[in-house]
Short mmCIF file of all heavy atoms in Angstrom, two decimals:
data_model
loop_
_atom_site.label_atom_id
_atom_site.label_comp_id
_atom_site.label_asym_id
_atom_site.label_seq_id
_atom_site.Cartn_x
_atom_site.Cartn_y
_atom_site.Cartn_z
N PRO A 133 -13.35 124.23 41.81
CA PRO A 133 -13.43 124.23 40.35
C PRO A 133 -13.82 122.93 39.68
O PRO A 133 -14.01 122.91 38.46
CB PRO A 133 -11.99 124.61 39.94
CG PRO A 133 -11.15 124.05 41.04
CD PRO A 133 -11.96 124.22 42.29
N PHE A 134 -13.94 121.84 40.43
CA PHE A 134 -14.29 120.58 39.80
C PHE A 134 -14.94 119.63 40.79
O PHE A 134 -14.91 119.86 42.00
CB PHE A 134 -13.06 119.90 39.17
CG PHE A 134 -11.86 119.77 40.07
CD1 PHE A 134 -11.87 118.93 41.19
CD2 PHE A 134 -10.70 120.47 39.80
CE1 PHE A 134 -10.77 118.80 42.01
CE2 PHE A 134 -9.58 120.35 40.63
CZ PHE A 134 -9.62 119.50 41.72
N ALA A 135 -15.57 118.59 40.25
CA ALA A 135 -16.11 117.52 41.08
C ALA A 135 -14.97 116.56 41.38
O ALA A 135 -14.35 116.00 40.46
CB ALA A 135 -17.24 116.80 40.35
N ALA A 136 -14.67 116.36 42.65
CA ALA A 136 -13.48 115.61 43.04
C ALA A 136 -13.81 114.17 43.43
O ALA A 136 -14.95 113.83 43.74
CB ALA A 136 -12.79 116.31 44.21
N ASP A 137 -12.76 113.36 43.42
CA ASP A 137 -12.87 111.95 43.80
C ASP A 137 -12.57 111.72 45.28
O ASP A 137 -12.86 110.65 45.80
CB ASP A 137 -11.89 111.12 42.97
CG ASP A 137 -12.15 111.27 41.47
OD1 ASP A 137 -13.16 110.73 41.00
OD2 ASP A 137 -11.33 111.95 40.80
N ALA A 138 -12.00 112.71 45.93
CA ALA A 138 -11.62 112.55 47.34
C ALA A 138 -11.34 113.92 47.95
O ALA A 138 -11.08 114.89 47.23
CB ALA A 138 -10.38 111.66 47.46
N ALA A 139 -11.38 113.97 49.28
CA ALA A 139 -11.05 115.20 49.99
C ALA A 139 -10.27 114.87 51.25
O ALA A 139 -10.61 113.92 51.97
CB ALA A 139 -12.31 115.98 50.35
N LEU A 140 -9.23 115.65 51.50
CA LEU A 140 -8.38 115.49 52.68
C LEU A 140 -8.55 116.69 53.59
O LEU A 140 -8.49 117.84 53.14
CB LEU A 140 -6.92 115.39 52.24
CG LEU A 140 -5.86 115.39 53.35
CD1 LEU A 140 -5.94 114.10 54.18
CD2 LEU A 140 -4.46 115.57 52.76
N PHE A 141 -8.76 116.42 54.88
CA PHE A 141 -8.77 117.46 55.92
C PHE A 141 -7.65 117.09 56.90
O PHE A 141 -7.82 116.17 57.70
CB PHE A 141 -10.10 117.47 56.67
CG PHE A 141 -11.31 117.84 55.87
CD1 PHE A 141 -11.87 116.93 54.98
CD2 PHE A 141 -11.92 119.08 56.03
CE1 PHE A 141 -13.01 117.25 54.26
CE2 PHE A 141 -13.07 119.41 55.31
CZ PHE A 141 -13.61 118.49 54.41
N HIS A 142 -6.54 117.79 56.84
CA HIS A 142 -5.42 117.44 57.73
C HIS A 142 -5.19 118.55 58.74
O HIS A 142 -4.79 119.66 58.40
CB HIS A 142 -4.14 117.21 56.92
CG HIS A 142 -3.01 116.66 57.75
ND1 HIS A 142 -2.04 117.45 58.29
CD2 HIS A 142 -2.73 115.39 58.15
CE1 HIS A 142 -1.19 116.71 58.97
NE2 HIS A 142 -1.59 115.46 58.91
N PHE A 143 -5.50 118.27 60.00
CA PHE A 143 -5.35 119.23 61.11
C PHE A 143 -6.08 120.53 60.78
O PHE A 143 -5.49 121.61 60.72
CB PHE A 143 -3.87 119.44 61.43
CG PHE A 143 -3.30 118.31 62.24
CD1 PHE A 143 -3.09 117.06 61.67
CD2 PHE A 143 -3.00 118.47 63.58
CE1 PHE A 143 -2.61 116.00 62.41
CE2 PHE A 143 -2.51 117.42 64.34
CZ PHE A 143 -2.33 116.18 63.76
N THR A 144 -7.38 120.39 60.59
CA THR A 144 -8.24 121.52 60.23
C THR A 144 -9.44 121.55 61.18
O THR A 144 -10.59 121.49 60.74
CB THR A 144 -8.72 121.38 58.77
OG1 THR A 144 -9.41 120.13 58.62
CG2 THR A 144 -7.57 121.44 57.79
N HIS A 145 -9.19 121.64 62.47
CA HIS A 145 -10.26 121.50 63.45
C HIS A 145 -11.38 122.52 63.26
O HIS A 145 -12.56 122.18 63.34
CB HIS A 145 -9.70 121.61 64.88
CG HIS A 145 -10.74 121.39 65.93
ND1 HIS A 145 -11.29 120.15 66.19
CD2 HIS A 145 -11.37 122.25 66.78
CE1 HIS A 145 -12.19 120.24 67.16
NE2 HIS A 145 -12.26 121.51 67.53
N ASP A 146 -11.03 123.77 63.02
CA ASP A 146 -12.06 124.79 62.84
C ASP A 146 -12.98 124.43 61.67
O ASP A 146 -14.21 124.62 61.75
CB ASP A 146 -11.43 126.16 62.58
CG ASP A 146 -10.88 126.80 63.84
OD1 ASP A 146 -10.79 126.12 64.87
OD2 ASP A 146 -10.55 128.00 63.78
N ILE A 147 -12.41 123.94 60.59
CA ILE A 147 -13.22 123.55 59.43
C ILE A 147 -14.11 122.37 59.78
O ILE A 147 -15.29 122.34 59.40
CB ILE A 147 -12.31 123.22 58.23
CG1 ILE A 147 -11.48 124.44 57.83
CG2 ILE A 147 -13.15 122.72 57.05
CD1 ILE A 147 -10.39 124.14 56.82
N MET A 148 -13.57 121.42 60.51
CA MET A 148 -14.35 120.24 60.89
C MET A 148 -15.53 120.61 61.77
O MET A 148 -16.53 119.89 61.84
CB MET A 148 -13.45 119.25 61.62
CG MET A 148 -12.37 118.62 60.75
SD MET A 148 -13.07 117.49 59.52
CE MET A 148 -13.58 116.14 60.58
N ARG A 149 -15.45 121.75 62.47
CA ARG A 149 -16.54 122.19 63.35
C ARG A 149 -17.41 123.25 62.67
O ARG A 149 -18.17 123.94 63.36
CB ARG A 149 -15.98 122.73 64.66
CG ARG A 149 -15.07 121.78 65.41
CD ARG A 149 -15.65 120.37 65.54
NE ARG A 149 -16.90 120.34 66.27
CZ ARG A 149 -17.70 119.28 66.31
NH1 ARG A 149 -17.40 118.19 65.62
NH2 ARG A 149 -18.82 119.33 67.03
N THR A 150 -17.31 123.39 61.36
CA THR A 150 -18.10 124.35 60.60
C THR A 150 -18.95 123.59 59.59
O THR A 150 -18.48 123.24 58.50
CB THR A 150 -17.19 125.36 59.88
OG1 THR A 150 -16.31 125.98 60.83
CG2 THR A 150 -18.01 126.44 59.17
N PRO A 151 -20.20 123.29 59.91
CA PRO A 151 -21.03 122.48 59.01
C PRO A 151 -21.14 123.04 57.60
O PRO A 151 -21.18 122.28 56.63
CB PRO A 151 -22.39 122.47 59.72
CG PRO A 151 -22.04 122.59 61.17
CD PRO A 151 -20.88 123.54 61.20
N GLY A 152 -21.19 124.35 57.45
CA GLY A 152 -21.29 124.94 56.12
C GLY A 152 -20.08 124.64 55.26
O GLY A 152 -20.20 124.46 54.04
N ALA A 153 -18.90 124.59 55.89
CA ALA A 153 -17.68 124.25 55.15
C ALA A 153 -17.71 122.81 54.67
O ALA A 153 -17.38 122.50 53.53
CB ALA A 153 -16.46 124.50 56.04
N LEU A 154 -18.13 121.91 55.57
CA LEU A 154 -18.22 120.50 55.19
C LEU A 154 -19.23 120.32 54.06
O LEU A 154 -19.00 119.55 53.11
CB LEU A 154 -18.61 119.66 56.40
CG LEU A 154 -17.64 119.68 57.58
CD1 LEU A 154 -18.19 118.83 58.72
CD2 LEU A 154 -16.26 119.19 57.17
N ALA A 155 -20.36 121.01 54.15
CA ALA A 155 -21.40 120.88 53.12
C ALA A 155 -20.89 121.34 51.76
O ALA A 155 -21.20 120.73 50.73
CB ALA A 155 -22.63 121.68 53.53
N ASN A 156 -20.12 122.43 51.73
CA ASN A 156 -19.58 122.91 50.45
C ASN A 156 -18.64 121.90 49.84
O ASN A 156 -18.68 121.65 48.63
CB ASN A 156 -18.87 124.25 50.65
CG ASN A 156 -18.52 124.91 49.34
OD1 ASN A 156 -19.19 124.76 48.33
ND2 ASN A 156 -17.42 125.67 49.34
N VAL A 157 -17.79 121.30 50.66
CA VAL A 157 -16.87 120.30 50.14
C VAL A 157 -17.64 119.10 49.59
O VAL A 157 -17.40 118.64 48.47
CB VAL A 157 -15.88 119.86 51.23
CG1 VAL A 157 -15.07 118.63 50.77
CG2 VAL A 157 -14.94 121.00 51.59
N VAL A 158 -18.56 118.58 50.38
CA VAL A 158 -19.30 117.38 49.97
C VAL A 158 -20.08 117.63 48.68
O VAL A 158 -20.20 116.74 47.83
CB VAL A 158 -20.23 116.91 51.10
CG1 VAL A 158 -21.21 115.85 50.62
CG2 VAL A 158 -19.41 116.37 52.26
N SER A 159 -20.58 118.85 48.50
CA SER A 159 -21.35 119.16 47.29
C SER A 159 -20.49 119.16 46.04
O SER A 159 -21.01 119.17 44.92
CB SER A 159 -22.04 120.52 47.43
OG SER A 159 -21.11 121.59 47.37
N HIS A 160 -19.17 119.14 46.21
CA HIS A 160 -18.25 119.11 45.07
C HIS A 160 -17.49 117.79 44.99
O HIS A 160 -16.40 117.72 44.40
CB HIS A 160 -17.27 120.28 45.16
CG HIS A 160 -17.90 121.60 44.89
ND1 HIS A 160 -18.55 122.34 45.86
CD2 HIS A 160 -18.03 122.32 43.73
CE1 HIS A 160 -19.01 123.45 45.34
NE2 HIS A 160 -18.72 123.47 44.06
N LEU A 161 -18.07 116.74 45.56
CA LEU A 161 -17.48 115.40 45.47
C LEU A 161 -18.36 114.49 44.64
O LEU A 161 -19.59 114.59 44.68
CB LEU A 161 -17.29 114.81 46.88
CG LEU A 161 -16.27 115.52 47.76
CD1 LEU A 161 -16.26 114.89 49.15
CD2 LEU A 161 -14.86 115.46 47.15
N ARG A 162 -17.74 113.60 43.92
CA ARG A 162 -18.49 112.62 43.13
C ARG A 162 -19.16 111.61 44.05
O ARG A 162 -18.69 111.37 45.18
CB ARG A 162 -17.54 111.88 42.18
CG ARG A 162 -16.81 112.77 41.16
CD ARG A 162 -15.90 111.92 40.30
NE ARG A 162 -15.05 112.72 39.45
CZ ARG A 162 -15.40 113.19 38.25
NH1 ARG A 162 -16.63 112.94 37.80
NH2 ARG A 162 -14.56 113.91 37.54
#
Side-chain angles (χ1 to χ4, degrees):
F134 51 67
D137 302 288
L140 173 68
F141 296 75
H142 188 264
F143 282 71
T144 57
H145 183 72
D146 283 12
I147 299 170
M148 293 291 289
R149 305 312 299 168
T150 305
L154 299 178
N156 190 31
V157 170
V158 169
S159 71
H160 289 85
L161 293 176
R162 299 179 188 275

